[in-house]
Amino acid sequence: MLKLIKTMDFKTICFCLFFILFSLIITLLSDLIFGSISTNFVKVLGKTLMLCLAAIALDLVWGYCGILSLGHFAFFALGGYLIGMWLMYERTKEIIIQAFAEQLLPPTPSEIKEAIGIQIFGVVGGSEIPSIWIFADYLFIHLFLIIFIPGLLALIFGWLAFRSRVTGVYLSILTQAMTLALSLYLLQNDSGLRGNNGLSGLQNIPGFTSFPQSIISILFLWASTLALILGFIIATFITKSKLGKLIQGIRDDEDRIRFLGYNVETYKLFVFVISAIMAAIAGALYYPQAGIVNPSELAPIASIYLAVWVSIGGRGKLIGAVIGAAFVSLISSFFTSGQIPDLNLGFIIISWVDWWLIILGLSFVIVTLFTPGGLISAFENIYKRSFER
Amino acid sequence: MSDILEVRGISVSFDGFKAINNLSFSIGQNELRAIIGPNGAGKTTLMDIITGKTKPDIGDIRWGKNNISLIKKSETQIAQLGVGRKFQKPTVLEYQTVEENLMISLKNSRGFIQTLIYKYTEEEFTRVNEVAKLIKLNKILNKIAGELSHGQKQWLEIGMLLAQDPSLLLVDEPAAGMTNSERTNTATLLKELSKTRSVVVVEHDMDFIRQLNCKVTVLHEGSVLAEGNLDHVSKDNKVIEVYLGR
């Protein structure tokens, strides 16, 4: 452990300490101790941390390797679906076993299965448990699948796209098509994942049913903090290595790297897969805090928002991506929550839920025009100038 | 003198236009060779074919002592065999420093697991310093490559190729956009380099080629028109007609 800390640079240590301190303060202020912030808000913060991790994942492929993926929420939501299947299955099983407990005859395993099927799939007019739910009873297999399935999807998609030398905006359109296709597939009732209902009740953790949500929300906050810190350390390690310099070279001039004897496609694939896995892990921790995952989560617009956050924060810098995601998503949920009263200007009534998007669009334009390196480079410039004086 | 590269009767056409037409020539070990020709003679296409960017329709390219065919190999594999290429437009990693540009080019691990955990050795740092000295950029190792002058970028790219340590160096219009003194320096550098490896220079500029003082191959409409030293080819009637006499 000490050895690991020694190899970390100053920025990384500051980052880790900041987020540990942040979670400590939130824990103290939560319903568990002082009760000054609500359980719901703790969940919002936990979710925000996972959006930050997704932003780091996107920054790795876009900011460092130049691959603008507009489909990263496909991996994010897949992570959510894969943990959601286990959560929902186990939770339903618990309820059904409880219900059967009142009967005289103990239920047979097939009876339990049948009841679970009706309970989960009744809403889409089915009662059979689809074959993709075959491992839903096993947590460890599903934890593995959270890494494996999005990773495999990224591997196949990336291999096909990079091998044909699809780059730039064409690649972005392809990734967009990927997430749209997946979202349309999941919308079907016979996809085996409850169509547009998605998976719900994910905030109830099997085995922890006696725990109140105030405790569960804090546990997830800490798990999210840990995941974000680990993700940041791994991403820093990658970007600081020779491979990190190489992928930045690929971003700047793909042909130069290729004619130096590096297999550009392999490097792109590696970064794309790592990034997809990071996004999936972020999603697997996000959706239990959100409580529900459905196909609208994969809508192309979600992935575009992610790209906007990264670019407002500052792409090509990991901290920039984190700042962008945290800042913009928190302000965004503030404006769209309906808590702020509408602004009556006489000739027009500004309702923030609608106008927020216009503000977001404007600030995106302003940042792109005046500080292309994002908020982080604006801060850096101000800091440098005041330092020079 | 055994040949390092032998091009045997290659042809390639784009949409019916024959860019290269039954072209054959060979480059010897540690030879310095200039390739000239009017626009559209197929000089850059020839470079593309040797480095694997373009595949020829027919013909073969043989490499090194073991006569390996380069036709089926990818750009990456050909570069790993020891063919270095300098592009017409200076192509360096604009957002990285001079030192980082050179470090990345060094001949070492090319697999992605190795590069993830790769640690540069002392010798490699020394080597980078040597190369930087040779291309006269050793005082500005920490400058971002994008801020260099055009000539310096050209030199940096040559430096990257040196760090890569290829046995054959293909150089596309190295003197373009350079001042007279930079040209002279570049010619001296290329001559120096050809002592330890083969160098092929594609160039328009006749004065520059005179400074190189080497065997010249004249291309026209995708095939070899004449070959020999510069004085010899400039007396050739066909060459005068298509190129010099215009």
Side-chain angles (χ1 to χ4, degrees):
Chain A
M1 189 65 196
L2 259 175
K3 227 178 179 181
L4 186 75
I5 291 173
K6 264 183 199 162
T7 58
M8 291 198 294
D9 63 318
F10 182 66
K11 260 189 202 164
T12 316
I13 294 170
C14 285
F15 183 91
C16 297
L17 287 179
F18 175 83
F19 277 98
I20 290 171
L21 201 66
F22 169 81
S23 299
L24 263 179
I25 292 170
I26 299 299
T27 310
L28 285 176
L29 292 178
S30 74
D31 279 344
L32 283 186
I33 301 173
F34 290 116
S36 11
I37 53 176
S38 68
T39 300
N40 247 347
F41 191 63
V42 172
K43 285 187 180 178
V44 168
L45 292 175
K47 286 192 291 184
T48 306
L49 292 179
M50 288 303 86
L51 294 177
C52 292
L53 182 57
I56 287 181
L58 182 67
D59 200 21
L60 209 53
V61 280
W62 183 28
Y64 286 89
C65 199
I67 304 166
L68 172 52
S69 165
L70 292 178
H72 251 52
F73 255 66
F75 306 123
F76 190 82
L78 264 184
Y81 264 103
L82 285 163
I83 194 69
M85 285 162 85
W86 176 78
L87 286 169
M88 207 170 170
Y89 188 93
E90 285 301 287
R91 172 80 184 135
T92 314
K93 192 174 161 190
E94 273 184 6
I95 293 169
I96 282 169
I97 288 174
Q98 259 174 16
F100 272 121
E102 288 158 15
Q103 294 180 354
L104 283 175
L105 278 171
T108 62
S110 67
E111 272 175 338
I112 294 179
K113 255 197 159 160
E114 206 172 305
I116 293 174
I118 292 167
Q119 188 71 27
I120 297 181
F121 298 101
V123 69
V124 286
S127 58
E128 292 270 304
I129 298 176
S131 52
I132 48 168
W133 288 68
I134 183 168
F135 299 120
D137 212 2
Y138 308 96
L139 174 61
F140 284 101
I141 294 183
H142 263 258
L143 289 180
F144 168 74
L145 289 181
I146 288 170
I147 294 171
F148 183 73
I149 292 191
L152 187 71
L153 176 66
L155 187 75
I156 295 171
F157 177 86
W159 187 74
L160 289 172
F162 301 146
R163 194 187 54 133
S164 330
R165 305 244 168 117
V166 181
T167 52
V169 68
Y170 302 102
L171 187 66
S172 305
I173 294 170
L174 271 188
T175 55
Q176 185 103 94
M178 174 192 75
T179 191
L180 184 63
L182 198 58
S183 146
L184 291 177
Y185 173 72
L186 290 174
L187 262 177
Q188 293 178 315
N189 279 346
D190 53 5
S191 65
L193 290 161
R194 304 197 346 143
N196 68 342
N197 305 286
L199 309 180
S200 54
L202 309 184
Q203 71 277 22
N204 304 309
I205 312 301
F208 287 79
T209 31
S210 54
F211 287 58
Q213 283 294 316
S214 54
I215 293 181
I216 289 176
S217 66
I218 290 296
L219 288 179
F220 267 100
L221 179 77
W222 278 98
S224 303
T225 306
L226 196 70
L228 179 62
I229 287 175
L230 271 177
F232 187 82
I233 290 173
I234 291 171
T236 309
F237 177 74
I238 291 176
T239 52
K240 287 268 187 300
S241 70
K242 184 186 168 189
L243 187 140
K245 301 284 176 200
L246 263 174
I247 58 171
Q248 289 173 62
I250 291 172
R251 171 194 68 194
D252 299 341
D253 205 313
E254 200 175 300
D255 265 345
R256 180 70 277 164
I257 300 296
R258 183 172 289 129
F259 285 107
L260 283 173
Y262 295 98
N263 199 335
V264 168
E265 284 68 39
T266 315
Y267 286 93
K268 280 185 173 178
L269 207 52
F270 171 75
V271 178
F272 194 63
V273 169
I274 288 283
S275 166
I277 290 173
M278 272 171 114
I281 292 172
L285 282 164
Y286 178 95
Y287 288 105
Q289 303 182 75
I292 181 164
V293 54
N294 57 39
S296 67
E297 297 292 321
L298 288 83
I301 191 72
S303 303
I304 293 176
Y305 278 140
L306 187 64
V308 169
W309 299 340
V310 172
S311 109
I312 288 182
R315 68 193 160 104
K317 293 216 168 75
L318 295 173
I319 294 179
V322 171
I323 289 175
F327 213 58
V328 186
S329 74
L330 277 179
I331 297 177
S332 172
S333 61
F334 177 65
F335 273 113
T336 52
S337 63
Q339 287 167 355
I340 325 163
D342 292 349
L343 194 63
N344 196 340
L345 294 177
F347 59 96
I348 190 169
I349 296 171
I350 295 192
S351 105
W352 291 111
V353 178
D354 302 330
W355 276 79
W356 159 244
L357 280 180
I358 294 169
I359 299 174
L360 179 65
L362 272 180
S363 49
F364 180 58
V365 171
I366 291 169
V367 166
T368 316
L369 282 180
F370 295 105
T371 164
L375 291 176
I376 184 85
S377 73
F379 291 147
E380 275 177 0
N381 285 341
I382 293 167
Y383 175 77
K384 255 185 214 160
R385 261 180 229 161
S386 57
F387 195 71
E388 275 161 14
R389 270 175 206 167
Chain B
M1 198 159 62
S2 69
D3 289 339
I4 188 161
L5 182 85
E6 198 186 345
V7 176
R8 294 178 186 164
I10 52 167
S11 293
V12 68
S13 53
F14 304 115
D15 299 325
F17 170 71
K18 278 216 159 175
I20 300 283
N21 188 8
N22 193 20
L23 187 140
S24 304
F25 78 105
S26 56
I27 305 290
Q29 206 78 250
N30 297 351
E31 187 189 345
L32 176 61
R33 172 78 61 94
I35 295 181
I36 60 171
N39 282 332
K43 304 183 299 280
T44 302
T45 311
L46 177 62
M47 293 265 184
D48 283 347
I49 291 175
I50 296 172
T51 52
K53 198 176 182 183
T54 305
K55 298 288 168 211
D57 300 336
I58 48 166
D60 197 4
I61 298 174
R62 295 282 168 168
W63 167 259
K65 284 193 190 91
N66 300 327
N67 270 324
I68 306 164
S69 171
L70 296 186
I71 296 294
K72 293 247 157 58
K73 301 216 181 290
S74 71
E75 291 110 313
T76 312
Q77 289 168 322
I78 293 174
Q80 283 172 1
L81 280 173
V83 180
R85 174 173 190 185
K86 197 208 144 310
F87 293 90
Q88 196 167 339
K89 181 175 140 256
T91 306
V92 295
L93 308 176
E94 304 259 338
Y95 295 96
Q96 300 197 29
T97 64
V98 170
E99 189 176 28
E100 284 169 337
N101 265 284
L102 293 172
M103 293 303 266
I104 230 170
S105 315
L106 285 169
K107 192 180 193 172
N108 51 33
S109 60
R110 290 297 192 249
F112 74 91
I113 297 289
Q114 293 104 297
T115 52
L116 188 61
I117 51 171
Y118 194 78
K119 284 214 164 52
Y120 289 105
T121 61
E122 275 304 310
E123 291 88 63
E124 287 180 316
F125 278 102
T126 326
R127 173 86 188 121
V128 161
N129 270 313
E130 279 169 18
V131 172
K133 220 171 255 170
L134 204 63
I135 55 171
K136 302 189 167 57
L137 295 176
N138 54 323
K139 296 237 166 61
I140 47 168
L141 276 177
N142 289 320
K143 204 167 175 179
I144 301 289
E147 296 169 1
L148 298 177
S149 74
H150 184 84
Q152 283 175 320
K153 278 186 199 168
Q154 299 271 40
W155 277 56
L156 177 56
E157 197 180 354
I158 295 175
M160 289 168 79
L161 293 177
L162 286 181
Q164 188 191 351
D165 196 24
S167 356
L168 171 66
L169 203 54
L170 302 173
V171 195
D172 206 347
E173 301 204 13
M178 280 189 172
T179 62
N180 274 338
S181 68
E182 280 174 336
R183 265 164 217 245
T184 315
N185 283 334
T186 308
T188 320
L189 177 64
L190 290 176
K191 273 196 280 189
E192 184 65 34
L193 293 181
S194 68
K195 282 177 188 160
T196 48
R197 71 201 73 227
S198 313
V199 181
V200 174
V201 185
V202 166
E203 190 48 80
H204 266 309
D205 187 326
M206 276 302 158
D207 289 334
F208 185 74
I209 290 182
R210 200 170 297 281
Q211 284 177 30
L212 289 179
N213 189 23
C214 64
K215 192 172 170 186
V216 176
T217 299
V218 185
L219 289 191
H220 177 58
E221 288 176 352
S223 13
V224 176
L225 192 66
E227 215 167 55
N229 65 39
L230 188 59
D231 292 327
H232 171 80
V233 298
S234 36
K235 281 183 195 118
D236 190 301
N237 282 332
K238 284 183 291 182
V239 175
I240 293 169
E241 196 179 310
V242 305
Y243 187 50
L244 300 166
R246 282 192 307 169

